[in-house]
Amino acid sequence: MDTATAETTTVVRPPVILANTFNLQNRRISVSYSATSFTGQPLFHYKDRVHEVNARGEEIRQVESEIGTLVSITLEPDADAGSLIFSVLIPRVALMSTVAEQPVEAVAIFTRSRLPPRLPANVQLQTHDTVELRGSATFVVA
């Protein structure tokens, strides 16, 4: 009886490093988002011609989903005109190393919320404006 010996080859794959820092922009706005920092809190910087907001920790709302992480901050708090919320859908990005940088695209949404009218009425209380952002994703050791 002839027995053959089987050789097994082990494929070693480098560990997947998920990006945790994103710098995004278009002609009108720039966004910097870090999922973590030295204090362990997320950091978010937003700037356009009218607003400049630095948010950290609980000021940043994050919702994980199968299409990415929806990250939101308040640009204008509730007022008579309503609030203005900025949200960006952060994609998952795999990196080959901690020094790698990956170009990314993301979708951002401005949501204007109005207060309901004092009298009963049919009215849309939120409107949305979407914009596209481009930039880079990296991994920063916190």
Side-chain angles (χ1 to χ4, degrees):
M1 180 171 200
D2 187 19
T3 59
T5 58
E7 291 184 31
T8 59
T9 305
T10 303
V11 176
V12 178
R13 292 187 177 153
V16 174
I17 299 164
L18 294 179
N20 63 3
T21 302
F22 298 81
N23 292 300
L24 306 164
Q25 65 275 331
N26 66 16
R27 292 178 295 126
R28 299 181 328 180
I29 65 175
S30 66
V31 172
S32 176
Y33 166 67
S34 294
T36 189
S37 64
F38 291 114
T39 64
Q41 295 183 333
L43 302 174
F44 197 103
H45 177 78
Y46 172 93
K47 184 175 182 183
D48 66 19
R49 294 180 190 120
V50 177
H51 306 92
E52 184 164 5
V53 176
N54 285 303
R56 67 179 58 240
E58 292 181 9
E59 298 169 331
I60 304 166
R61 280 107 45 214
Q62 302 174 81
V63 178
E64 297 285 335
S65 76
E66 59 272 10
I67 62 171
T69 303
L70 186 66
V71 181
S72 302
I73 62 165
T74 301
L75 298 179
E76 297 174 8
D78 288 339
D80 290 338
S83 65
L84 180 61
I85 306 298
F86 176 80
S87 303
V88 59
L89 185 58
I90 299 291
R92 286 183 191 85
V93 177
L95 302 171
M96 295 281 293
S97 72
T98 58
V99 296
E101 182 174 311
Q102 174 65 39
V104 293
E105 297 178 359
V107 175
I109 305 164
F110 292 93
T111 302
R112 175 66 74 180
S113 296
R114 297 177 19 181
L115 297 175
R118 295 188 195 279
L119 300 174
N122 295 329
V123 62
Q124 181 174 334
L125 298 177
Q126 293 179 314
T127 57
H128 307 286
D129 182 27
T130 60
V131 296
E132 293 182 14
L133 302 172
R134 295 177 189 268
S136 62
T138 58
F139 179 82
V140 174
V141 179

